[in-house]
Amino acid sequence: MLVLSRHRDESIMIGDNIVITIVDIRGDKVRLGIAAPQDIPVHRQEVYEAIKRENMQASGVQPDDTAMMKKSRK
């Protein structure tokens, strides 16, 4: 994991088209602004994990099934 220090209004580039900007710092919370192309989904981790869980439930695939599929590809 790369760890960087930034001040308010400073940014970090990811590749050529994703910019993460420190918008505000209040106590132990940091507000980030994220500029990314529309075809790149951006979610908080807990939201991403919930979406992934719901998609797996809707498809009827169990987490153990995906682990077995990964092993069978090797």
Side-chain angles (χ1 to χ4, degrees), residues 4-64:
L4 301 171
S5 297
R6 300 278 73 199
H7 292 101
R8 183 175 299 141
D9 297 324
E10 292 183 336
S11 298
I12 297 167
M13 294 292 304
I14 299 177
D16 292 330
N17 56 2
I18 300 173
V19 181
I20 300 175
T21 304
I22 307 302
V23 175
D24 195 18
I25 303 168
R26 293 184 187 172
D28 63 347
K29 290 195 177 189
V30 176
R31 294 185 62 172
L32 302 173
I34 302 169
Q38 286 187 327
D39 62 327
I40 298 177
V42 178
H43 301 287
R44 295 187 327 255
Q45 183 176 0
E46 63 273 15
V47 171
Y48 173 79
E49 289 171 357
I51 291 168
K52 198 168 146 183
R53 255 191 326 273
E54 288 176 18
N55 286 343
M56 289 184 96
Q57 287 175 351
S59 70
V61 175
Q62 299 299 317
D64 292 340

Side-chain angles (χ1 to χ4, degrees), residues 56 62-72:
M56 289 184 96
Q62 299 299 317
D64 292 340
D65 296 339
T66 58
M68 291 177 115
M69 289 183 338
K70 287 178 185 176
K71 285 181 184 178
S72 68

